[in-house]
Amino acid sequence: MIKAVIFDLDGVLLSTDEYHYRAWKQLADREDIYFDRAINERLRGVSRMESLEIILERATKSYTAAEKEEMAGFKNDAYRQLLEHLTPSDVFPGVTEFIAGLQREGVRPGIGSSSKNTKYILEKVGLIEIFRGAISDGTNIVNSKPDPEVFIKAAEMMGIAPAECLVVEDAEAGVMAGKAAGMRVVGVGPAAGYPLADYQASGVAGIPWIALAV
Ligand code: B16
Ligand code: MG
């Protein structure tokens, strides 16, 4: 039986990917580096510095470590400005009802996100209390997805064995991380087609209950 469901954040509970795109685009334009939405898709679930390295593949000059730090900071400032406008209505339809259903069944909801902005986002959209004590994110990990660390830490916070956890992910790196953690994984959105995922759903509201029952 599944005792905990660990949700990825961006692309699973809400769509901050558009804001990531706009913020990276501001940086790319400033640096005169080609960047488009197809490249942005490769940043799904990938940490901030690794995302920057992907963007810099199109750069025509090389950058020092200090310059890269500045660029990541510039992007994050732009991203945080966009996040200021988030409200509870940005949470995908059916998410809060799905989580309430889990809690009625005694299943614990947790978070496993690469983002260092996770707690700020959860506060803005009114979900921070539901996940309190079970938020594993970019601030408490050394290795990012596809390494399983973020999900292992979430399970540890809840005191639940990995085999009793179900991960919900929209990114290939996240699906790989969930499987490497020894957990079952539901692929949603772009990850719905990944063969490595145990279950597929268009979004959280469509997760089949069978995924929780085995
Ligand atoms: P930050 P997730 C990931 O969140 C995003 O999908 C990815 O695009 C982003 O680069 C990463 O968080 C780091 O975010 O810059 O806020 O620390 O999908 O793992 O919830
Ligand atoms: Mg994601």
Side-chain angles (χ1 to χ4, degrees):
M1 276 293 283
I2 292 297
K3 292 187 179 161
V5 176
I6 306 174
F7 297 90
D8 171 59
L9 179 65
D10 293 335
V12 169
L13 299 184
L14 75 167
S15 183
T16 42
D17 37 358
E18 174 65 21
Y19 296 151
H20 278 296
Y21 169 73
R22 286 193 219 161
W24 282 124
K25 182 73 178 146
Q26 279 185 42
L27 175 75
D29 287 350
R30 189 194 78 170
E31 296 296 321
D32 207 15
I33 298 169
Y34 179 78
F35 179 62
D36 62 17
R37 287 176 188 275
I39 299 171
N40 192 57
E41 279 302 304
R42 291 175 58 204
L43 312 183
R44 219 172 255 281
V46 175
S47 74
R48 195 180 308 163
M49 292 311 283
E50 286 166 326
S51 297
L52 177 62
E53 292 298 342
I54 291 171
I55 287 162
L56 294 182
E57 286 171 9
R58 295 292 193 114
T60 50
K61 58 175 260 202
S62 58
Y63 293 88
T64 65
E67 285 170 333
K68 288 179 186 178
E69 282 297 330
E70 186 281 327
M71 286 192 277
F74 175 89
K75 181 267 174 177
N76 196 51
D77 289 346
Y79 181 56
R80 292 280 290 220
Q81 274 184 24
L82 294 166
L83 293 180
E84 275 176 26
H85 305 292
L86 283 178
T87 70
S89 67
D90 287 296
V91 175
F92 287 143
V95 165
T96 40
E97 293 81 354
F98 184 85
I99 295 171
L102 291 180
Q103 291 177 311
R104 277 197 300 275
E105 299 296 320
V107 177
R108 185 97 192 262
I111 293 283
S113 168
S114 303
S115 176
K116 292 183 172 160
N117 293 297
T118 294
K119 292 191 180 83
Y120 179 73
I121 293 168
L122 289 174
E123 251 167 46
K124 294 291 289 181
V125 301
L127 291 177
I128 193 93
E129 284 307 325
I130 287 173
F131 291 108
R132 197 169 294 283
I135 301 169
S136 177
D137 63 21
T139 64
N140 64 252
I141 55 167
V142 177
N143 306 298
S144 50
K145 301 168 187 175
D147 188 282
E149 185 181 4
V150 74
F151 293 127
I152 300 276
K153 292 250 168 81
E156 280 173 7
M157 286 175 187
M158 294 185 277
I160 294 172
E164 295 172 322
C165 294
L166 178 73
V167 164
V168 187
E169 258 294 347
D170 71 314
E172 187 173 21
V175 172
M176 291 166 75
K179 291 311 296 175
M183 300 175 181
R184 263 158 293 163
V185 181
V186 185
V188 299
Y194 295 149
L196 195 59
D198 299 287
Y199 304 96
Q200 277 90 26
S202 53
V204 169
I207 294 173
W209 285 101
I210 186 75
L212 296 154
V214 287

